[in-house]
Amino acid sequence: MNINGLQKLTLLDFPGHTACTVFLAGCDMRCPFCHNAELISKNADVLMTDDELLNFLNSRKGLLDGVAFTGGEPSLRKELPGLIRKIRELGRSEEHTSE
């Protein structure tokens, strides 16, 4: 799965936890006020693959409590549950989807 953006540390997107925020492209809402309009199209620029994201997360073990997914609309990505399972296998016990 293609990852379209990454904020390496957030203290806001997963309240009470240190986390990173993963941005996934594709959205069917087309809100005129969208603050991530560049992620509406599924053809948005690719930052990394899911394997590269997993490598990043593995290198941050002990520093990050979780992963927040946003977009676009991450729940439209059929690959998301599989990626979440892989993240959990790295030892992460929590994830959060934010808008």
Side-chain angles (χ1 to χ4, degrees):
M1 177 166 65
N2 291 329
I3 307 301
N4 305 93
L6 176 67
Q7 183 177 350
K8 294 180 179 181
L9 176 66
T10 179
L11 302 175
L12 301 173
D13 292 326
F14 198 164
H17 300 277
T18 59
C20 69
T21 304
V22 176
F23 295 84
L24 303 177
C27 184
D28 59 351
M29 300 290 277
R30 308 292 193 267
C31 302
F33 51 83
C34 180
H35 64 277
N36 287 333
E38 67 278 4
L39 296 176
I40 290 174
S41 170
K42 287 185 180 181
N43 297 321
D45 291 341
V46 176
L47 176 68
M48 63 177 59
T49 66
D50 54 348
D51 287 335
E52 291 170 318
L53 174 65
L54 293 170
N55 288 335
F56 165 78
L57 293 173
N58 200 36
S59 74
R60 299 304 192 275
K61 274 189 177 178
L63 300 175
L64 296 175
D65 298 323
V67 178
F69 291 95
T70 192
E73 178 47 62
S75 65
L76 292 176
R77 302 291 291 272
K78 64 182 179 184
E79 309 96 326
L80 184 60
L83 178 57
I84 291 171
R85 279 190 289 280
K86 289 178 183 178
I87 291 170
R88 284 182 174 242
E89 289 171 4
L90 292 177
R92 308 265 177 310
S93 60
E94 304 178 62
E95 63 279 325
H96 174 76
T97 302
S98 70
E99 296 179 34

